[in-house]
Coordinates of all heavy atoms in Angstrom, one line a residue:
E21 N 0.8 -1.2 0.0 CA 0.0 0.0 0.0 C 0.9 1.2 0.0 O 1.8 1.3 0.8 CB -0.9 0.0 1.2 CG -2.1 0.9 1.1 CD -3.0 0.7 2.3 OE1 -3.6 -0.4 2.4 OE2 -3.2 1.6 3.1
P22 N 0.7 2.2 -0.9 CA 1.5 3.4 -1.0 C 1.4 4.3 0.2 O 0.3 4.3 0.8 CB 1.1 4.1 -2.3 CG -0.3 3.6 -2.5 CD -0.4 2.2 -1.9
E23 N 2.4 4.9 0.6 CA 2.4 5.8 1.8 C 1.6 7.1 1.4 O 1.8 7.6 0.4 CB 3.8 6.2 2.2 CG 3.8 7.1 3.4 CD 5.2 7.6 3.8 OE1 6.1 7.5 3.0 OE2 5.3 8.0 4.9
V24 N 0.7 7.4 2.3 CA -0.1 8.6 2.1 C 0.6 9.8 2.6 O 1.1 9.8 3.8 CB -1.5 8.5 2.8 CG1 -2.3 9.8 2.6 CG2 -2.3 7.3 2.2
T25 N 0.8 10.9 1.8 CA 1.5 12.1 2.3 C 0.5 13.3 2.2 O -0.6 13.2 1.6 CB 2.7 12.4 1.4 OG1 2.3 12.5 0.0 CG2 3.7 11.2 1.5
I26 N 0.9 14.4 2.8 CA 0.1 15.6 2.7 C 0.5 16.4 1.5 O 1.7 16.8 1.4 CB 0.3 16.4 4.1 CG1 -0.3 15.6 5.2 CG2 -0.4 17.8 4.0 CD1 0.0 16.2 6.6
V27 N -0.4 16.7 0.6 CA -0.2 17.5 -0.6 C -0.3 18.9 -0.3 O 0.5 19.8 -0.8 CB -1.1 17.0 -1.7 CG1 -0.9 17.9 -2.9 CG2 -0.9 15.5 -2.0
S28 N -1.4 19.3 0.4 CA -1.7 20.7 0.7 C -2.0 20.8 2.2 O -3.0 20.2 2.7 CB -2.8 21.2 -0.1 OG -3.2 22.5 0.2
G29 N -1.2 21.5 3.0 CA -1.3 21.6 4.4 C -2.3 22.6 4.9 O -3.0 23.3 4.1
L30 N -2.4 22.7 6.2 CA -3.4 23.6 6.9 C -2.9 25.0 6.8 O -1.7 25.3 6.7 CB -3.5 23.2 8.4 CG -4.0 21.8 8.7 CD1 -4.0 21.6 10.2 CD2 -5.4 21.7 8.1
R31 N -3.8 26.0 6.9 CA -3.5 27.4 6.9 C -4.0 28.0 8.2 O -5.0 27.6 8.7 CB -4.2 28.1 5.7 CG -3.7 27.7 4.4 CD -4.1 28.7 3.3 NE -3.5 28.3 2.0 CZ -4.1 27.6 1.1 NH1 -5.3 27.2 1.3 NH2 -3.5 27.3 -0.1
D32 N -3.2 28.9 8.7 CA -3.6 29.6 9.9 C -4.9 30.4 9.7 O -5.1 31.0 8.6 CB -2.5 30.6 10.4 CG -1.3 29.9 10.9 OD1 -1.4 28.7 11.3 OD2 -0.2 30.5 11.0
M33 N -5.8 30.5 10.6 CA -7.1 31.2 10.5 C -7.3 32.1 11.7 O -6.9 31.8 12.8 CB -8.2 30.2 10.4 CG -8.1 29.1 9.3 SD -8.2 29.8 7.7 CE -10.0 29.9 7.5
V34 N -7.9 33.2 11.4 CA -8.4 34.1 12.5 C -9.8 34.4 12.3 O -10.3 34.8 11.2 CB -7.6 35.5 12.4 CG1 -8.1 36.5 13.4 CG2 -6.1 35.3 12.5
V35 N -10.6 34.1 13.3 CA -12.1 34.3 13.3 C -12.6 35.0 14.5 O -11.9 35.0 15.6 CB -12.8 32.9 13.1 CG1 -12.5 32.3 11.8 CG2 -12.5 32.0 14.2
A36 N -13.8 35.5 14.4 CA -14.4 36.2 15.6 C -15.1 35.1 16.4 O -15.6 34.1 15.9 CB -15.4 37.2 15.1
E37 N -15.2 35.4 17.7 CA -15.9 34.5 18.6 C -17.3 34.3 18.2 O -18.0 35.2 17.8 CB -15.9 35.0 20.1 CG -16.3 34.0 21.1 CD -16.0 34.5 22.5 OE1 -15.7 35.7 22.7 OE2 -15.9 33.6 23.4
G38 N -17.8 33.0 18.2 CA -19.2 32.7 17.7 C -19.3 32.3 16.3 O -20.3 31.8 15.8
D39 N -18.2 32.6 15.5 CA -18.2 32.2 14.1 C -17.8 30.7 13.9 O -17.2 30.1 14.9 CB -17.3 33.1 13.3 CG -17.8 34.4 13.0 OD1 -19.0 34.7 13.3 OD2 -17.1 35.3 12.5
D40 N -18.0 30.2 12.7 CA -17.4 28.8 12.4 C -16.1 29.0 11.7 O -15.9 30.1 11.0 CB -18.4 28.1 11.4 CG -19.7 27.8 12.1 OD1 -19.9 28.0 13.3 OD2 -20.6 27.4 11.3
V41 N -15.2 28.1 11.8 CA -13.9 28.1 11.1 C -13.7 26.7 10.5 O -14.0 25.7 11.1 CB -12.8 28.5 12.0 CG1 -12.6 27.6 13.2 CG2 -11.5 28.7 11.2
T42 N -13.2 26.7 9.2 CA -12.9 25.5 8.5 C -11.4 25.4 8.2 O -10.8 26.3 7.7 CB -13.8 25.4 7.2 OG1 -15.2 25.5 7.6 CG2 -13.5 24.1 6.5
F43 N -10.9 24.2 8.4 CA -9.5 23.8 8.1 C -9.6 22.7 7.0 O -10.4 21.8 7.2 CB -8.7 23.4 9.3 CG -8.6 24.4 10.3 CD1 -9.5 24.6 11.4 CD2 -7.5 25.3 10.3 CE1 -9.4 25.5 12.3 CE2 -7.4 26.3 11.3 CZ -8.3 26.4 12.3
Q44 N -8.7 22.8 6.0 CA -8.6 21.7 5.0 C -7.2 21.2 4.8 O -6.3 22.0 4.9 CB -9.2 22.2 3.7 CG -10.7 22.4 3.6 CD -11.1 22.6 2.2 OE1 -10.5 23.2 1.4 NE2 -12.3 22.1 1.9
C45 N -7.1 19.9 4.6 CA -5.8 19.3 4.3 C -6.0 18.3 3.2 O -6.9 17.5 3.3 CB -5.3 18.7 5.6 SG -3.5 18.6 5.6
Q46 N -5.2 18.4 2.1 CA -5.3 17.5 1.0 C -4.2 16.4 1.1 O -3.0 16.8 1.3 CB -5.2 18.2 -0.3 CG -5.4 17.3 -1.5 CD -5.5 18.0 -2.8 OE1 -5.6 19.2 -2.9 NE2 -5.3 17.2 -3.9
V47 N -4.6 15.2 0.9 CA -3.6 14.1 1.0 C -3.4 13.5 -0.4 O -4.2 13.7 -1.3 CB -4.1 13.0 2.0 CG1 -4.1 13.6 3.4 CG2 -5.4 12.4 1.6
S48 N -2.4 12.6 -0.5 CA -2.0 12.1 -1.9 C -2.9 11.0 -2.4 O -2.9 10.8 -3.6 CB -0.5 11.7 -1.8 OG -0.4 10.7 -0.8
H49 N -3.5 10.3 -1.5 CA -4.3 9.1 -1.9 C -5.7 9.1 -1.3 O -5.9 9.6 -0.2 CB -3.6 7.8 -1.5 CG -2.3 7.6 -2.2 ND1 -1.1 8.3 -1.8 CD2 -1.9 6.8 -3.3 CE1 -0.1 7.9 -2.6 NE2 -0.6 7.0 -3.5
E50 N -6.7 8.6 -2.0 CA -8.0 8.5 -1.5 C -8.1 7.4 -0.4 O -7.3 6.5 -0.3 CB -9.0 8.1 -2.6 CG -9.2 9.2 -3.6 CD -10.3 8.9 -4.7 OE1 -11.0 7.9 -4.5 OE2 -10.4 9.7 -5.7
N51 N -9.2 7.5 0.4 CA -9.5 6.6 1.4 C -8.3 6.4 2.4 O -8.0 5.3 2.8 CB -9.9 5.2 0.8 CG -11.0 5.4 -0.1 OD1 -12.0 6.1 0.1 ND2 -11.0 4.7 -1.3
A52 N -7.6 7.5 2.8 CA -6.5 7.4 3.7 C -7.0 6.9 5.1 O -8.1 7.4 5.6 CB -5.9 8.8 3.9
R53 N -6.3 6.0 5.7 CA -6.6 5.5 7.0 C -5.7 6.2 8.0 O -4.7 6.8 7.6 CB -6.5 4.0 7.1 CG -7.6 3.3 6.2 CD -7.6 1.8 6.5 NE -8.1 1.1 5.3 CZ -7.3 0.4 4.5 NH1 -6.0 0.2 4.8 NH2 -7.8 -0.2 3.5
D54 N -5.9 5.9 9.2 CA -5.0 6.5 10.3 C -4.9 8.0 10.2 O -3.8 8.6 10.2 CB -3.6 5.8 10.2 CG -2.8 6.0 11.4 OD1 -3.3 6.3 12.5 OD2 -1.5 6.0 11.3
V55 N -6.1 8.6 10.1 CA -6.2 10.1 10.0 C -6.7 10.6 11.3 O -7.6 10.0 11.9 CB -7.2 10.5 8.9 CG1 -7.4 12.0 8.9 CG2 -6.6 10.1 7.5
E56 N -6.1 11.7 11.8 CA -6.5 12.3 13.1 C -6.5 13.8 13.1 O -5.5 14.4 12.5 CB -5.6 11.7 14.2 CG -6.0 12.1 15.6 CD -5.0 11.5 16.6 OE1 -3.8 11.6 16.4 OE2 -5.5 11.0 17.6
W57 N -7.5 14.4 13.7 CA -7.5 15.9 13.9 C -7.4 16.1 15.4 O -8.0 15.4 16.2 CB -8.9 16.4 13.5 CG -9.1 16.5 12.0 CD1 -9.7 15.6 11.2 CD2 -8.6 17.6 11.1 NE1 -9.8 16.0 9.9 CE2 -9.1 17.2 9.8 CE3 -7.9 18.7 11.3 CZ2 -8.8 18.1 8.7 CZ3 -7.7 19.5 10.2 CH2 -8.1 19.2 8.9
K58 N -6.6 17.1 15.8 CA -6.4 17.5 17.2 C -6.5 19.0 17.3 O -6.1 19.7 16.5 CB -5.1 17.0 17.7 CG -5.0 15.5 17.9 CD -3.6 15.2 18.5 CE -3.5 13.7 18.9 NZ -2.2 13.4 19.5
L59 N -7.0 19.4 18.5 CA -6.9 20.8 19.0 C -6.2 20.8 20.3 O -6.6 20.2 21.2 CB -8.3 21.4 19.1 CG -8.4 22.8 19.8 CD1 -7.6 23.8 19.0 CD2 -9.8 23.2 20.0
Q60 N -5.0 21.4 20.3 CA -4.2 21.5 21.5 C -3.9 20.1 22.0 O -4.1 19.8 23.2 CB -4.8 22.3 22.6 CG -5.0 23.8 22.3 CD -3.6 24.5 22.2 OE1 -2.9 24.3 21.2 NE2 -3.3 25.3 23.1
D61 N -3.5 19.1 21.1 CA -3.2 17.8 21.5 C -4.4 16.9 22.0 O -4.2 15.9 22.6 CB -2.0 17.7 22.5 CG -0.7 18.1 21.9 OD1 -0.5 17.9 20.7 OD2 0.1 18.7 22.6
V62 N -5.6 17.4 21.9 CA -6.8 16.7 22.2 C -7.4 16.2 20.9 O -7.8 17.0 20.1 CB -7.8 17.5 23.0 CG1 -9.1 16.7 23.3 CG2 -7.1 18.0 24.3
A63 N -7.6 14.9 20.8 CA -8.2 14.3 19.6 C -9.7 14.8 19.5 O -10.4 14.8 20.4 CB -8.2 12.8 19.6
L64 N -10.0 15.2 18.2 CA -11.4 15.7 18.0 C -12.2 14.6 17.3 O -11.8 13.8 16.5 CB -11.3 16.9 17.0 CG -10.6 18.1 17.5 CD1 -10.5 19.1 16.5 CD2 -11.2 18.6 18.8
Q65 N -13.5 14.5 17.7 CA -14.5 13.6 17.2 C -15.5 14.3 16.4 O -15.7 15.5 16.6 CB -15.2 12.8 18.3 CG -14.3 12.1 19.3 CD -13.4 11.0 18.6 OE1 -13.9 10.3 17.8 NE2 -12.2 10.9 19.0
N66 N -16.1 13.6 15.5 CA -17.2 14.2 14.7 C -18.5 14.3 15.5 O -19.0 13.3 16.0 CB -17.5 13.4 13.4 CG -18.3 14.1 12.4 OD1 -18.3 15.3 12.3 ND2 -18.9 13.4 11.5
N67 N -18.9 15.6 15.8 CA -20.1 15.8 16.7 C -20.7 17.1 16.3 O -20.4 17.7 15.3 CB -19.7 15.7 18.2 CG -18.7 16.7 18.6 OD1 -18.7 17.8 18.1 ND2 -17.8 16.3 19.5
E68 N -21.6 17.6 17.1 CA -22.4 18.8 16.8 C -21.4 20.1 16.8 O -21.8 21.1 16.1 CB -23.6 19.1 17.7 CG -23.2 19.3 19.2 CD -23.0 18.1 20.0 OE1 -23.1 17.0 19.5 OE2 -22.6 18.2 21.1
M69 N -20.3 20.0 17.5 CA -19.4 21.2 17.5 C -18.2 21.0 16.5 O -17.7 22.0 16.1 CB -18.8 21.4 18.9 CG -19.9 21.7 20.0 SD -20.9 23.1 19.5 CE -19.8 24.4 19.6
N70 N -17.9 19.8 16.2 CA -16.8 19.6 15.3 C -17.3 18.7 14.1 O -17.6 17.6 14.3 CB -15.6 18.8 15.9 CG -15.3 19.4 17.3 OD1 -15.1 20.6 17.4 ND2 -15.1 18.5 18.3
E71 N -17.3 19.3 12.9 CA -17.7 18.5 11.7 C -16.4 18.1 11.0 O -15.7 18.9 10.5 CB -18.6 19.4 10.8 CG -19.1 18.6 9.6 CD -20.0 19.4 8.7 OE1 -20.7 20.3 9.2 OE2 -19.8 19.3 7.5
I72 N -16.2 16.8 10.9 CA -15.1 16.2 10.2 C -15.6 15.5 9.0 O -16.5 14.6 9.1 CB -14.3 15.2 11.1 CG1 -13.8 16.0 12.3 CG2 -13.2 14.5 10.4 CD1 -13.2 15.1 13.4
S73 N -15.1 15.8 7.8 CA -15.5 15.1 6.6 C -14.4 15.0 5.6 O -13.3 15.5 5.8 CB -16.7 16.0 6.0 OG -16.2 17.3 5.6
V74 N -14.6 14.2 4.5 CA -13.7 14.0 3.5 C -14.4 14.3 2.1 O -15.5 13.7 1.9 CB -13.1 12.6 3.5 CG1 -12.1 12.4 2.3 CG2 -12.5 12.2 4.8
E75 N -13.8 15.2 1.3 CA -14.4 15.5 0.0 C -13.5 14.9 -1.1 O -12.3 15.0 -1.0 CB -14.5 17.0 -0.1 CG -15.4 17.7 0.9 CD -15.3 19.2 0.9 OE1 -14.8 19.7 -0.1 OE2 -15.6 19.8 1.9
K76 N -14.2 14.3 -2.1 CA -13.5 13.7 -3.2 C -12.4 12.8 -2.8 O -11.4 12.5 -3.5 CB -12.9 14.8 -4.1 CG -13.9 15.8 -4.7 CD -13.3 16.9 -5.5 CE -14.4 17.9 -5.9 NZ -13.9 19.2 -6.0
G77 N -12.5 12.2 -1.6 CA -11.6 11.1 -1.2 C -10.3 11.6 -0.7 O -9.6 10.9 0.0
K78 N -9.9 12.8 -1.0 CA -8.5 13.3 -0.7 C -8.5 14.6 0.2 O -7.5 14.8 0.8 CB -7.7 13.6 -1.9 CG -7.4 12.4 -2.8 CD -6.6 12.7 -4.0 CE -6.3 11.6 -4.9 NZ -5.5 11.9 -6.0
V79 N -9.6 15.4 0.2 CA -9.6 16.6 0.9 C -10.3 16.4 2.3 O -11.5 16.2 2.3 CB -10.3 17.7 0.1 CG1 -10.3 19.0 0.9 CG2 -9.6 17.9 -1.2
H80 N -9.5 16.4 3.3 CA -10.0 16.2 4.7 C -10.3 17.6 5.3 O -9.5 18.5 5.2 CB -9.0 15.5 5.5 CG -8.8 14.1 5.1 ND1 -9.3 13.0 5.7 CD2 -8.1 13.6 4.0 CE1 -9.0 11.9 5.1 NE2 -8.3 12.2 4.0
T81 N -11.5 17.7 5.8 CA -12.0 19.0 6.3 C -12.5 18.9 7.8 O -13.1 17.9 8.1 CB -13.2 19.5 5.4 OG1 -12.8 19.5 4.1 CG2 -13.7 20.8 5.9
L82 N -12.1 19.9 8.5 CA -12.6 20.1 9.9 C -13.2 21.4 10.0 O -12.6 22.4 9.7 CB -11.4 20.0 10.9 CG -11.7 20.4 12.3 CD1 -12.6 19.5 13.0 CD2 -10.4 20.6 13.1
T83 N -14.5 21.4 10.5 CA -15.2 22.7 10.8 C -15.5 22.8 12.3 O -16.1 21.8 12.8 CB -16.5 22.8 10.0 OG1 -16.2 22.8 8.6 CG2 -17.2 24.1 10.3
L84 N -15.0 23.8 12.9 CA -15.3 24.1 14.3 C -16.4 25.0 14.4 O -16.3 26.1 13.8 CB -14.1 24.6 15.1 CG -12.8 23.8 15.1 CD1 -11.7 24.5 15.8 CD2 -13.1 22.4 15.7
R85 N -17.5 24.7 15.0 CA -18.7 25.5 15.0 C -18.8 26.4 16.2 O -18.4 26.0 17.3 CB -20.0 24.6 15.1 CG -20.0 23.6 13.9 CD -21.2 23.9 13.0 NE -21.3 22.9 11.9 CZ -21.0 23.3 10.7 NH1 -20.7 24.5 10.4 NH2 -21.1 22.4 9.7
K86 N -19.2 27.7 16.0 CA -19.4 28.6 17.0 C -18.2 28.7 18.0 O -18.3 28.4 19.2 CB -20.7 28.4 17.8 CG -21.9 28.5 16.9 CD -23.2 28.3 17.7 CE -24.4 28.5 16.9 NZ -24.7 27.5 15.9
V87 N -17.0 29.0 17.5 CA -15.8 29.0 18.3 C -15.9 29.9 19.5 O -16.5 31.0 19.4 CB -14.5 29.2 17.4 CG1 -14.3 28.1 16.4 CG2 -14.6 30.6 16.8
T88 N -15.1 29.6 20.5 CA -15.0 30.4 21.7 C -13.5 30.6 22.0 O -12.7 30.0 21.3 CB -15.7 29.7 23.0 OG1 -14.9 28.6 23.3 CG2 -17.1 29.4 22.7
E89 N -13.2 31.4 23.0 CA -11.8 31.6 23.4 C -11.1 30.3 23.8 O -9.9 30.2 23.6 CB -11.7 32.6 24.6 CG -11.7 34.0 24.2 CD -11.4 34.9 25.4 OE1 -10.6 34.5 26.3 OE2 -12.0 36.0 25.4
Q90 N -11.9 29.3 24.3 CA -11.3 28.0 24.6 C -10.8 27.3 23.4 O -10.0 26.3 23.5 CB -12.3 27.1 25.4 CG -12.5 27.6 26.8 CD -13.4 28.8 26.9 OE1 -14.3 29.0 26.2 NE2 -13.0 29.7 27.8
D91 N -11.3 27.7 22.2 CA -10.8 27.0 21.0 C -9.5 27.5 20.4 O -9.1 27.0 19.4 CB -12.0 27.1 19.9 CG -13.2 26.3 20.3 OD1 -13.1 25.2 20.9 OD2 -14.3 26.9 20.2
I92 N -9.0 28.6 21.0 CA -7.7 29.2 20.5 C -6.6 28.1 20.7 O -6.5 27.5 21.8 CB -7.4 30.4 21.3 CG1 -8.4 31.5 20.9 CG2 -5.9 30.9 21.0 CD1 -8.2 32.8 21.8
G93 N -5.8 27.9 19.7 CA -4.7 27.0 19.9 C -4.3 26.4 18.6 O -4.7 26.8 17.5
T94 N -3.5 25.3 18.6 CA -3.0 24.7 17.5 C -3.9 23.5 17.0 O -4.2 22.7 17.8 CB -1.6 24.1 17.8 OG1 -0.7 25.2 18.2 CG2 -0.9 23.5 16.5
I95 N -4.2 23.6 15.7 CA -5.0 22.5 15.1 C -3.9 21.6 14.4 O -3.0 22.1 13.7 CB -6.0 23.0 14.0 CG1 -7.1 23.8 14.7 CG2 -6.5 21.9 13.2 CD1 -8.1 22.9 15.4
T96 N -4.0 20.3 14.6 CA -3.1 19.4 14.0 C -3.9 18.4 13.2 O -4.8 17.8 13.6 CB -2.2 18.6 15.0 OG1 -1.6 19.6 15.8 CG2 -1.2 17.7 14.4
F97 N -3.4 18.2 11.9 CA -3.9 17.1 11.1 C -2.8 16.1 10.9 O -1.7 16.5 10.6 CB -4.4 17.6 9.7 CG -4.8 16.5 8.7 CD1 -6.0 16.0 8.8 CD2 -3.8 16.0 7.8 CE1 -6.4 15.0 7.9 CE2 -4.2 15.0 6.9 CZ -5.5 14.5 6.9
R98 N -3.1 14.8 11.2 CA -2.1 13.8 11.0 C -2.6 12.6 10.1 O -3.7 12.2 10.3 CB -1.7 13.2 12.4 CG -0.6 12.1 12.3 CD -0.4 11.5 13.7 NE -1.6 10.8 14.2 CZ -2.0 9.6 13.8 NH1 -1.4 9.0 12.8 NH2 -3.1 9.1 14.3
V99 N -1.8 12.2 9.2 CA -2.1 11.0 8.4 C -0.8 10.2 8.5 O 0.3 10.6 8.0 CB -2.5 11.3 7.0 CG1 -1.5 12.2 6.2 CG2 -2.9 10.0 6.3
G100 N -0.9 9.0 9.1 CA 0.3 8.2 9.2 C 1.4 8.9 10.0 O 1.2 9.4 11.1
A101 N 2.6 9.0 9.4 CA 3.7 9.7 10.0 C 3.8 11.2 9.7 O 4.7 11.9 10.1 CB 5.0 9.0 9.7
H102 N 2.9 11.7 8.9 CA 2.9 13.1 8.4 C 1.9 14.0 9.2 O 0.8 13.5 9.4 CB 2.6 13.1 6.9 CG 3.5 12.3 6.1 ND1 4.8 12.7 5.7 CD2 3.4 11.0 5.6 CE1 5.4 11.7 5.0 NE2 4.5 10.7 5.0
T103 N 2.3 15.2 9.5 CA 1.4 16.1 10.2 C 1.5 17.5 9.5 O 2.5 17.9 8.9 CB 1.8 16.3 11.7 OG1 3.1 16.8 11.8 CG2 1.7 15.0 12.4
S104 N 0.4 18.2 9.7 CA 0.4 19.6 9.4 C -0.3 20.4 10.5 O -1.3 19.8 11.1 CB -0.5 19.8 8.1 OG -0.5 21.2 7.7
T105 N 0.1 21.6 10.8 CA -0.4 22.4 11.9 C -0.8 23.8 11.5 O -0.2 24.3 10.5 CB 0.5 22.4 13.1 OG1 1.7 23.0 12.7 CG2 0.8 21.1 13.7
A106 N -1.7 24.4 12.2 CA -2.1 25.8 12.0 C -2.6 26.4 13.3 O -2.9 25.6 14.2 CB -3.2 25.8 10.9

């Protein structure tokens, strides 16, 4: 199985409190396994506040809904041994 790498990494974002913010990361192969999103080293799950999705098999998206001051910090996307942060 070919190694999945990050083709297009995360970008830093600035948003107002109460707004939604979306982060995207593109990987080299579809159906990548061993993918993880983190905020300040805490793994994120897909729920009403964090929407995690994959578009066209390669574009992994994280949307944080109605952000607060507690959401300030580093977002990390990891696939296998590769990471991208914003």
Side-chain angles (χ1 to χ4, degrees):
E21 198 171 297
E23 181 181 21
V24 178
T25 60
I26 295 172
V27 175
S28 175
L30 299 177
R31 293 196 176 98
D32 291 342
M33 304 292 279
V34 177
V35 293
E37 191 167 20
D39 285 352
D40 295 350
V41 61
T42 299
F43 297 91
Q44 286 190 327
C45 207
Q46 184 176 346
V47 297
S48 58
H49 296 79
E50 291 186 11
N51 305 319
R53 293 191 208 107
D54 196 21
V55 171
E56 184 176 48
W57 287 97
K58 288 184 174 182
L59 172 59
Q60 295 294 72
D61 289 329
V62 176
L64 298 175
Q65 304 299 321
N66 195 22
N67 58 38
E68 66 276 357
M69 298 306 293
N70 312 316
E71 183 182 321
I72 297 171
S73 61
V74 181
E75 298 168 21
K76 300 178 187 149
K78 294 182 182 180
V79 180
H80 293 256
T81 303
L82 167 67
T83 300
L84 302 179
R85 304 246 179 249
K86 297 184 175 74
V87 296
T88 66
E89 274 189 33
Q90 285 74 40
D91 296 317
I92 293 172
T94 301
I95 292 285
T96 304
F97 174 83
R98 180 186 61 76
V99 58
H102 304 277
T103 60
S104 179
T105 59

